[in-house]
């Protein structure tokens, strides 16, 4: 019988070693695999390369905390602002940073999971982020060559999971999670609910279990309330 | 009316102008900050569909404090609502919409806009602080119409509309229209073409506050 | 009010002219926009380039019928077998053929809809279908350069549609339909059911309405029974 | 037993052997024709997930005649069923699984297999009839293990296992194992390594029916 559910978070993360590359799902407070990130920090692994949209937020939660513990030596992300941990390490020269436009980041991750080694995109042409990248003309327009981005590990938060690893997501919790599940050589899911096989209708499966290796039941409840949308907005 | 007796449009005035100019049925992404205001200024009888980079089409009004769904945030990481007809999807699909030219409009802020449509709005230098780009480069490169909401000059009085951007570019030849607190300008093959301006402002005065030649339709 | 529903098939197809490129969804008997295809044939348009997985099946249905009417001058597809109309025209030299591996075809269509002008794929390297294509090495492996494939029109069959053009699909009717909806400059949907806005929950929308231009209500019922799976299989 | 007194394995024998060798938990795509038989020969206590190119994971047994869902076909365009845990998706996602190396196994037919793993199974010539490739090139280039089910020779007695393919290639260095009606062979850096063969067949006889040197483990 296929059963990807493991008993606890320690088992979910077993085998992750120093120097691993780690995809981390989530956007804002939603869909963040914070319990997995905390446990990863407690394992004391070092020199991680983390791929995520941001570089964490609060210093005592999730990715911000992992960085604060000194576990991360490189961030690949689109918007590393709003994280005091990252700021501290970055200014001290203790963490490397690769800034990638958000859509290019998403497409690189999908490509990494889809067996596409490289693709061309109009995003970033003629900007500082094009430095060192091939520019090529198709039709009348210039495009940059960007490479697929897979990683040793993907950490994902899901709403429901079954024992085959089929996943659903709630609200905007989908964000980077499904494409990161595709691009992780080992994909580990913290799921709010573990449901019987067949409980998720075939049309409602967002991430098919083929992309998932381990599921751990983490009923950690609702995300904290965020700012409510106003004209003054927040960070990206 | 003599020179100098004009009052710049306020944020809400600008948002109202932008909102009034968005046709029914457009798919629109509003950047963080000022552009977010536009959502509240679409004429009531007009359906416009709002997109958020993190996988939402069909964002609705700001939630009442006791009706916040904390599972739902926009690109600014603020809690938002959905309208009937909304759809949720992942980041790669979201940027497929953006980069694939499916969105009709994004409204963004700017540090500088050049007369050829070049946009600088993501960093004032790669060294000044932590560089961060978010979705700005994808939006400005991919969306059919890129409108800018901005003050006409910086707080120091420096023009933001220029011949050529000095700050690092977000995208080349991207901006199609600028809504400043002093004027509305189309970006055309001729350069900036003023289509509207604050009452009482003269063409000479507007030119002095703009570092690129202004044209009139 | 946004209302993409049109009154009839004629309105749904209005403006389609000779020489158009047309993406046609469907796989096997499922998800085929046959009513739109029939109407297109009746309009008498000529010199269409059709992009689909197959080149039609029965001569009196859908794409097979459109080809038989002489409307199609080029097929881009992965498996043009099992279509007597296509065979006749192909052997007479009256229809051009570009054979594309099925996965490359799907990825090219997705790329066309996603603003990716070109990408590299391992599929087809070293084969006759690599003729004239750039081969490039990434890591230790060779890949082919393939181009995004958008078209003037996409014809799609959906299960449900609302007035914004949000779509769901039934069973294996999803197949090429969602990616073709993305890649059509004008995407026309024949929907089994038209439902009120909001009837499709946000998580269940498969094709968001942004990719859809016109919806026509065509309650044409279940697909015909196919062969039931046996060892002897059918055509691809 | 003397030379010549052997009986080739039948289709069902081969399917049973393939089925017995598929480990629990593998994600498997079965090509049209012979390979389809394997689905019915997975040991009952073993869960294996079947994939179809047209967007299905979790195909189940052949439907009873009165329980056919005509909305559900496989890559061979036959009506099929789903098991609990099945998922439906579109073609680009389906081939992302294939090309991205997420499937453990595909079982395909062949015209020829070369000792370096080269596979020819899509056309005997670009001119003989309408060329058609389907998903064969993606499967053989993308799936981790490519097993071939085939007769050891053509109907005319020509070897299908060869030093180098004469027919147009489907993919280079793709095949990892061959299940013929006479033997089971791994494709290794040394070439074909026989791991099992029909009872009563001698190594000499097998070699005569094979156009590439055979090795033994």
């Amino acid at each position: 019988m296929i059963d990807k559910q493991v008993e606890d978070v320690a088992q979910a993360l077993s085998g992750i070693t120093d120097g691993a590359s780690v995809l981390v799902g989530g956007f804002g407070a939603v869909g963040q695999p914070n319990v997995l990130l905390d446990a990863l920090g407690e394992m004391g692994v070092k020199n991680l390369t983390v791929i995520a949209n941001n570089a964490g937020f609060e210093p005592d939660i999730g990715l911000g905390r992992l960085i604060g513990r000194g576990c991360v030596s490189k961030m690949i992300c689109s918007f590393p602002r709003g994280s005091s941990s990252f700021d501290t390490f970055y200014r001290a020269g203790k963490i490397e940073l690769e800034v990638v436009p958000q859509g290019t980041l998403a497409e690189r991750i999908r490509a990494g999971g889809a067996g596409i080694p490289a693709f061309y995109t109009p995003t970033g042409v003629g900007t500082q982020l094009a430095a060192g990248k091939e520019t090529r003309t198709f039709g009348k327009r210039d495009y940059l060559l960007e490479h697929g981005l897979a990683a040793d590990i993907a950490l994902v938060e899901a709403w429901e999971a079954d024992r085959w690893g089929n996943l659903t997501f709630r609200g905007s919790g989908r964000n980077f999670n499904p494409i990161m599940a595709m691009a992780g050589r080992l994909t580990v899911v913290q799921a709010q609910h573990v449901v019987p096989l067949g409980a998720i209708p075939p049309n409602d499966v967002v991430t098919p279990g083929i992309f998932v290796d381990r599921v751990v039941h983490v009923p950690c409840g609702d995300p904290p309330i965020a700012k409510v949308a106003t004209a003054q907005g927040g960070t990206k | 009316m003599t020179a100098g007796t004009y009052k710049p449009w306020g944020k809400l005035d600008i948002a109202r102008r932008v909102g009034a100019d968005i046709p029914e049925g457009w798919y629109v992404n509003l950047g963080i900050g000022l552009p977010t205001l536009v959502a509240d200024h679409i004429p009531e009888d007009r359906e416009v569909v709002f997109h958020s980079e993190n996988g939402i089409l069909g964002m609705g009004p700001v939630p009442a404090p006791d009706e916040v769904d904390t599972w739902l945030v926009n690109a600014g990481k603020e809690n938002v609502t959905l309208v009937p007809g909304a759809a949720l999807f992942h980041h790669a699909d979201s940027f497929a919409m953006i980069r694939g030219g499916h969105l009709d409009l994004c409204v963004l802020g700017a540090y500088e806009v050049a007369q050829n449509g070049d946009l600088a709005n993501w960093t004032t230098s790669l060294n000044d602080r932590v560089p961060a780009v978010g979705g700005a480069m994808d939006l400005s490169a991919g969306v059919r119409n890129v409108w800018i909401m901005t003050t006409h000059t910086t707080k120091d009085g420096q023009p933001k509309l220029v011949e050529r951007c000095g700050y690092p570019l977000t995208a080349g030849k991207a901006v199609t229209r600028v809504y400043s607190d002093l004027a509305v300008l189309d970006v055309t093959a001729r350069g900036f073409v003023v289509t509207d301006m604050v009452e009482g402002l003269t063409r000479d005065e507007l030119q002095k506050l703009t570092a690129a030649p202004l044209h009139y339709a």
Side-chain angles (χ1 to χ4, degrees), chain A residues 45-117:
Chain A
V45 289
K46 299 286 173 194
N47 289 320
L48 300 176
T49 294
V50 170
I51 302 143
N53 188 65
N54 298 79
F57 304 102
E58 314 300 328
D60 55 347
I61 298 176
L63 183 52
R65 194 170 173 192
L66 189 73
I67 292 169
R69 277 170 159 150
C71 301
V72 181
S73 59
K74 181 175 181 182
M75 277 301 315
I76 301 176
C77 64
S78 95
F79 206 88
R81 265 185 219 150
S83 167
S84 58
S85 314
F86 179 81
D87 281 2
T88 305
F89 278 73
Y90 184 69
R91 282 166 200 200
K94 288 181 177 166
I95 196 164
E96 197 185 336
L97 172 64
E98 179 179 343
V99 175
V100 181
Q102 192 171 151
T104 299
L105 183 64
E107 190 66 12
R108 287 182 62 192
I109 294 166
R110 181 202 174 265
I116 301 294

Side-chain angles (χ1 to χ4, degrees), chain B residues 24-27 45-49 51 57-58 82-90 92-93 95-97 99-104:
Chain B
E24 172 138 290
W26 273 25
Y27 292 89
D45 58 344
R46 207 179 290 173
E47 272 192 342
V48 167
V49 182
H51 173 271
L57 261 181
L82 301 180
V83 296
L88 297 166
F89 35 86
H90 63 54
D93 282 348
F95 280 88
M97 292 174 194
R99 200 181 37 236
H102 302 282
L103 288 172
D104 297 289

Side-chain angles (χ1 to χ4, degrees), chain A residues 26-233:
Chain A
F27 190 91
V30 187
Q32 298 281 357
N34 284 334
V35 171
L36 294 176
L37 288 166
D38 284 350
L40 193 60
E42 277 156 28
M43 286 168 64
V45 289
K46 299 286 173 194
N47 289 320
L48 300 176
T49 294
V50 170
I51 302 143
N53 188 65
N54 298 79
F57 304 102
E58 314 300 328
D60 55 347
I61 298 176
L63 183 52
R65 194 170 173 192
L66 189 73
I67 292 169
R69 277 170 159 150
C71 301
V72 181
S73 59
K74 181 175 181 182
M75 277 301 315
I76 301 176
C77 64
S78 95
F79 206 88
R81 265 185 219 150
S83 167
S84 58
S85 314
F86 179 81
D87 281 2
T88 305
F89 278 73
Y90 184 69
R91 282 166 200 200
K94 288 181 177 166
I95 196 164
E96 197 185 336
L97 172 64
E98 179 179 343
V99 175
V100 181
Q102 192 171 151
T104 299
L105 183 64
E107 190 66 12
R108 287 182 62 192
I109 294 166
R110 181 202 174 265
I116 301 294
F119 59 89
Y120 291 92
T121 176
T123 302
V125 169
T127 73
Q128 289 185 351
L129 297 188
K133 290 178 181 165
E134 176 188 319
T135 302
R136 184 162 171 171
T137 307
F138 295 97
K140 291 176 183 170
R141 198 165 178 197
D142 289 341
Y143 297 86
L144 292 186
L145 181 69
E146 296 281 359
H147 294 267
L149 189 55
D152 299 320
I153 319 288
L155 303 182
V156 161
E157 197 208 34
W159 178 245
E160 297 167 302
D162 63 27
R163 66 177 171 84
W164 280 12
N166 291 309
L167 307 180
T168 67
F169 302 89
R170 180 167 169 182
S172 67
R174 220 182 274 204
N175 58 65
F176 281 90
N177 280 306
I179 51 174
M180 288 182 170
M182 293 171 67
R185 283 180 283 273
L186 177 77
T187 292
V188 181
V189 178
Q190 72 169 71
Q192 293 268 352
H193 303 279
V194 175
V195 300
L197 195 70
I200 307 172
N203 264 314
D204 296 355
V205 172
V206 174
T207 290
I210 191 171
F211 296 124
V212 171
D213 298 287
R214 298 176 187 166
V215 170
V216 58
H217 185 207
V218 179
C220 60
D222 294 339
I225 194 163
K227 292 156 297 192
V228 168
T230 68
Q232 296 318 313

